[in-house]
């Protein structure tokens, strides 16, 4: 049987642009994984892999016009958005290169023998080592930042782990172009091509997670797809870590005092956040608790005006468009749900933004509308009108885990260590990033960033953005009573690599 073709499709028209590749066979997946496995030793030198990451960033920047054109043709996200996303991706690559140079991520700890301790302490030296080949499942909504050269790949390479990427079918042509630039960067630094593999096709993704030489996986996508891969990773004869980002509601709570103080600003800000990127951000606010009454009414009117002024947009592909339209229709049909501004189809390819409203009481108790507590990917949000603090608290208690949770406070509440702190404490168990008087869309690449959250937001407690994302691809090893000559250079007393370390309980830089 001939291999299935892989087509690049224009989401603005639904027409095929070109055949990019064919879906990988099991044999081709095996070859890509084995090439990556053989390349592990080539990434052992931190200086070389830091240079590789910087060269990759340089090459992507040099190819910017070609890459942005290809990305826009396959995603319809627009040149301005994509140019910024590519810049973010290059910044992230260089940030990981800096992290590799510094070496603190190795977490070097040395304890010299202490016979006076109870029990006695032998000579112990601990650091972190790479896991091995990492399978990366690219996302659709960020064709640069969460795809072939995105955070999972960049952090894996920074850790010293070769990566095999399962390309997203929404942007296969771009995936090939980006992989070519990364392989070119590898060649410039004398690294084998196998440090970065690329495969296409659903079956290839299934084969990849089951390959015995794959040591870990990173995924960004749907709850259904991510959970299937998570289960497959756990069911292997030797289970492996699966760091998946699946689905996120990203709740927002607006206090009555905040609505009274700045209803118009909050409504306009919500509109901008929920429609950004045609509502295709993983941190889009999908449920907003707004007080019943005049202040909440003014907020809803501001939201209506701002969303109505937003033009139609094209989703990443027609499959997502159909799922969005079906999801909105199913939610709008629930008892008690209203659509002040109905999201829907605009012609054959675009969609319009909108929002739904529902009494918050419909989200708790018998017959609760659980569907409204699930993510609906696209430019729509649910505004739940609550009667009093107890009703809002009852809704929060039912929410699934999210990447973010946000509260909008009045100036007095923000300055009050009692009321404001209590609301923050109620939101903290729900998410990995908690915001006050801001909007969650936009995930800064910074050392303190955490992009993750309780399930179903993610399948682990790790982050996929920021320097600590590298920790997903490492494991600690302790060496006991090992002679200096046999120790890895990272753990020798003379510290030939100049690494930050904790020596006999004291932190040294």
């Amino acid at each position: 049987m001939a291999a299935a073709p892989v087509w690049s499709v224009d989401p603005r028209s639904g027409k095929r642009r070109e055949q990019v590749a064919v879906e990988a066979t099991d044999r081709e997946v095996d070859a890509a994984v084995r090439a990556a496995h053989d390349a592990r030793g080539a990434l052992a030198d931190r200086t070389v892999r830091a240079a590789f990451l910087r060269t990759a960033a340089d090459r992507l920047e040099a190819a910017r016009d070609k890459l942005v054109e290809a990305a826009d043709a396959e995603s319809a996200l627009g040149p301005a958005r994509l140019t910024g996303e590519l810049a973010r991706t290059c910044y992230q690559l260089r940030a990981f290169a800096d992290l590799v140079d510094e070496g603190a991520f190795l977490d070097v700890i040395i304890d010299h023998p202490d016979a006076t301790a109870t029990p006695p302490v032998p000579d112990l030296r601990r650091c972190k080592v790479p896991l091995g080949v990492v399978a990366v499942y690219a996302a659709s909504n960020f064709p640069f930042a969460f795809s072939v050269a995105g955070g999972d790949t960049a952090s894996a390479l920074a850790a010293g782990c070769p990566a095999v990427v399962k390309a997203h079918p929404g942007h296969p042509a771009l995936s090939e172009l980006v992989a070519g630039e990364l392989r070119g960067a590898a060649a410039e630094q004398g690294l084998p091509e196998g440090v970065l593999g690329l495969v296409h096709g659903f079956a290839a993704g299934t084969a990849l997670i089951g390959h015995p030489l794959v040591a870990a996986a990173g995924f960004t996508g749907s709850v259904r797809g991510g959970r299937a891969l998570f289960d497959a990773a756990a069911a292997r004869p030797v289970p492996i870590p699966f760091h998946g980002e699946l689905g996120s509601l990203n709740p927002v709570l607006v206090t009555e005092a905040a609505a009274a103080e700045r209803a118009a600003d909050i409504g306009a800000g919500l509109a901008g956040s929920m429609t950004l990127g045609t509502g295709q951000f993983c941190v889009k606010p999908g449920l907003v608790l707004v007080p019943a009454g005049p202040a909440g009414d003014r907020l809803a009117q501001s939201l209506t005006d701002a969303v109505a002024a937003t033009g139609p947009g094209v989703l990443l592909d027609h499959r997502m468009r159909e799922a969005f339209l079906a999801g909105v229709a199913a939610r709008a049909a629930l008892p008690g749900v209203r659509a002040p501004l109905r999201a829907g189809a605009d012609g054959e390819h675009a969609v319009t933004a909108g929002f739904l409203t529902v009494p918050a009481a419909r989200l708790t108790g018998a017959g609760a509308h659980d569907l409204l507590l699930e993510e609906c990917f696209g430019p729509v949000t649910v505004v739940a009108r609550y009667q009093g603090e107890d009703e809002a608290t009852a809704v929060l208690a039912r929410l699934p885990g999210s990447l973010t949770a946000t509260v909008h406070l009045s100036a007095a509440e923000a300055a009050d260590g009692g009321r404001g702190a209590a609301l923050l404490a109620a939101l903290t168990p729900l998410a990995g990033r908690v915001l006050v008087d801001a909007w969650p869309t936009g995930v800064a690449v910074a050392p303190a960033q955490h992009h993750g959250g309780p399930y179903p937001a993610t399948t682990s407690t790790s982050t996929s953005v920021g320097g600590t994302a590298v920790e997903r691809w490492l494991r600690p090893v302790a060496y006991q009573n090992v002679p200096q000559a046999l120790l890895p250079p990272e753990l020798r007393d003379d510290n030939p690599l100049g690494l930050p370390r904790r020596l006999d309980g004291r932190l040294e830089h």
Side-chain angles (χ1 to χ4, degrees):
M1 181 184 294
V6 175
W7 294 96
S8 172
V9 177
D10 180 355
R12 293 182 174 96
S13 67
K15 295 180 179 179
R16 291 174 174 176
R17 299 176 59 247
E18 60 176 326
Q19 182 179 339
V20 174
V22 294
E23 294 186 356
T25 64
D26 286 356
R27 180 175 294 181
E28 289 166 334
V29 172
D30 178 67
V33 174
R34 291 187 182 279
H37 188 260
D38 291 344
R40 291 173 302 152
L43 287 175
D45 188 323
R46 288 189 302 117
T47 301
V48 172
R49 66 179 190 260
F52 169 36
L53 292 167
R54 292 191 177 97
T55 303
D58 292 343
R59 290 181 65 102
L60 291 174
E61 283 182 339
R64 179 185 60 196
D65 292 346
K66 174 180 67 176
L67 296 177
V68 168
E69 181 181 7
D72 183 48
E74 292 186 311
S75 71
L77 289 172
R81 147 71 194 273
L82 291 164
T83 298
E85 186 185 330
L86 179 58
R88 176 193 192 278
T89 302
C90 294
Y91 175 85
Q92 182 169 249
L93 287 164
R94 294 187 176 108
F96 277 118
D98 292 343
L99 180 142
V100 172
D101 281 339
E102 180 195 52
F105 72 98
L106 295 171
D107 198 18
V108 174
I109 304 173
I110 297 175
D111 287 322
H112 287 111
D114 183 359
T116 66
T118 304
V121 175
D123 188 278
L124 287 170
R125 295 156 190 265
R126 180 186 188 272
C127 68
K128 292 180 178 176
V129 299
L131 287 175
V133 178
V134 171
V136 173
Y137 293 81
S140 60
N141 56 338
F142 283 86
F144 290 120
F146 284 82
S147 189
V148 176
D152 286 348
T153 303
S155 59
L157 294 171
C161 297
V164 179
V165 181
K166 190 272 180 187
H168 195 279
H171 51 268
L174 177 67
S175 298
E176 289 287 346
L177 291 173
V178 172
E181 296 302 333
L182 264 61
R183 289 169 179 155
E188 284 190 41
Q189 298 302 324
L191 294 170
E193 185 177 285
V195 297
L196 192 283
L198 182 70
V199 296
H200 297 267
F202 179 85
T206 303
L208 189 58
I209 198 68
H211 198 290
L213 294 181
V214 168
F219 170 91
T220 303
S222 68
V223 174
R224 181 181 176 185
R227 183 55 192 254
L229 290 170
F230 173 82
D231 290 344
R236 289 168 37 129
V238 178
I240 59 172
F242 182 86
H243 300 282
E245 179 191 325
L246 310 187
S248 185
L249 190 62
N250 306 302
V252 177
L253 170 63
V254 180
T255 69
E256 187 167 359
E261 194 170 85
R262 54 182 202 285
D265 288 345
I266 295 173
L270 172 58
S273 185
M274 58 158 283
T275 61
L276 188 64
T278 322
Q280 297 173 114
F281 275 47
C282 50
V283 289
K284 180 202 75 175
L287 177 70
V288 188
L289 288 161
V290 173
D297 292 344
R298 292 196 301 274
L299 190 157
Q301 185 59 55
S302 173
L303 174 63
T304 301
D305 295 343
V307 174
T310 303
V314 176
L315 297 184
L316 292 160
D317 61 37
H318 279 62
R319 179 181 57 83
M320 292 184 187
R321 180 178 184 270
E322 291 169 4
F324 170 70
L325 295 175
V328 171
R331 288 162 173 79
L334 293 170
V337 175
R338 294 178 52 253
L341 194 62
R342 179 71 176 263
D346 185 83
E348 296 183 4
H349 308 293
V351 298
T352 58
F355 71 98
L356 306 172
T357 64
V358 65
R362 292 275 189 173
L363 302 180
T364 61
H369 295 336
D370 289 348
L371 181 61
L372 299 181
L373 306 185
E374 298 177 11
E375 178 184 21
C376 186
F377 194 72
V380 68
T381 195
V382 175
V383 175
R385 304 295 297 271
Y386 66 88
Q387 299 274 0
E389 185 177 331
D390 289 346
E391 196 167 83
T393 301
V395 174
L396 292 178
R398 296 202 66 238
L399 297 185
S402 282
L403 295 169
T404 70
T406 300
V407 61
H408 282 268
L409 305 170
S410 68
E413 289 170 329
D416 178 8
R419 166 72 171 156
L423 290 172
L424 210 62
L427 293 178
T428 297
L430 300 178
R433 179 161 58 103
V434 181
L435 299 87
V436 176
D437 295 344
W439 297 104
T441 37
V443 183
V445 177
Q449 184 60 271
H450 186 83
H451 190 62
Y455 187 85
T458 54
T459 60
S460 72
T461 59
S462 302
T463 179
S464 61
V465 179
T468 53
V470 75
E471 295 174 3
R472 297 175 295 170
W473 322 122
L474 299 163
R475 68 178 182 90
V477 177
Y479 294 86
Q480 182 172 335
N481 200 36
V482 177
Q484 288 286 312
L486 303 184
L487 284 169
E490 292 86 355
L491 296 177
R492 294 175 189 164
D493 281 340
D494 59 354
N495 196 11
L497 303 180
L499 295 171
R501 60 186 186 174
R502 187 170 292 277
L503 182 63
D504 295 328
R506 299 186 306 276
L507 189 63
E508 292 186 348
H509 295 281

